[in-house]
Amino acid sequence: DVGSLTATLGGAPVTFTAGAATATFTPASNLSDGQSVLEVRIRDLAGHVSAPALRTVFIDTRAAVVTLTPADGANLASASPTLRATLIDPSPSSGIQTGSIVVELDGQDVTAVATVSASEVTFTPSAPLAEGSHSWSVRALDAAANVGATSATLFVDTRAPVIASTPSDNTTLNVVTPT
């Protein structure tokens, strides 16, 4: 039989609610991001104290930061741009899960043809992009399932401007101030 249960989390005392075979607790305040050690000891009714049971827990509440290049609103002179995303999981970090990364171009999943790592994504479309507006996005989860995501709208413009003027070249005018 259990006489008492004592515990600390990161060195601070923790109050448990004990049942017949289990004990639960809710921290009095939010835990800080990072690693903490939970230490539990049980004292039986005869006064014998157990060896400590130690469990390491890692708290990660911050999502990865995803930065796209080119950035939102960029005008592209090439119809075959290389799109890049940098992924940073703020410290203390549980690590970005590369299998969770999703890359989309114009609403289509292109992850399978992108180059993906825990810190960077690169993608070059296999066919030239049409003139005009395109959207792309990158989403990543860390080991704690925090979602980091961002999107950008890009404008492809590969055509040089055309100047239309009148009068045409080598025109003879009979006015002093042409309009």
Side-chain angles (χ1 to χ4, degrees):
D1 286 334
V2 174
S4 67
L5 182 122
T6 59
T8 60
L9 180 61
V14 176
T15 303
F16 274 85
T17 303
T22 62
T24 61
F25 80 97
T26 301
S29 61
N30 290 337
L31 300 175
S32 298
D33 278 7
Q35 184 172 303
S36 293
V37 176
L38 174 66
E39 180 179 316
V40 179
R41 293 178 186 262
I42 299 173
R43 179 183 306 268
D44 66 16
L45 295 175
H48 302 107
V49 178
S50 70
L54 303 173
R55 295 292 182 264
T56 301
V57 295
F58 191 86
I59 307 299
D60 178 1
T61 61
R62 295 183 286 175
V65 176
V66 181
T67 305
L68 302 179
T69 305
D72 188 41
N75 290 302
L76 307 177
S78 170
S80 298
T82 296
L83 308 177
R84 285 187 168 71
T86 56
L87 310 169
I88 300 171
D89 197 14
S91 182
S93 165
S94 61
I96 293 172
Q97 304 299 299
T98 56
S100 75
I101 295 172
V102 176
V103 182
E104 290 186 351
L105 177 65
D106 293 332
Q108 299 296 312
D109 187 336
V110 294
T111 308
V113 292
T115 302
V116 174
S117 75
S119 61
E120 183 178 59
V121 172
T122 58
F123 171 71
T124 302
S126 58
L129 298 175
E131 295 282 315
S133 177
H134 296 274
S135 63
W136 81 292
S137 64
V138 175
R139 180 177 55 109
L141 276 72
D142 64 16
N146 298 309
V147 179
T150 195
S151 62
T153 299
L154 311 172
F155 302 93
V156 174
D157 181 5
T158 62
R159 299 181 196 139
V162 176
I163 298 174
S165 66
T166 57
S168 59
D169 196 24
N170 294 319
T171 300
T172 303
L173 302 175
N174 63 358
V175 291
V176 179
T177 314
T179 58

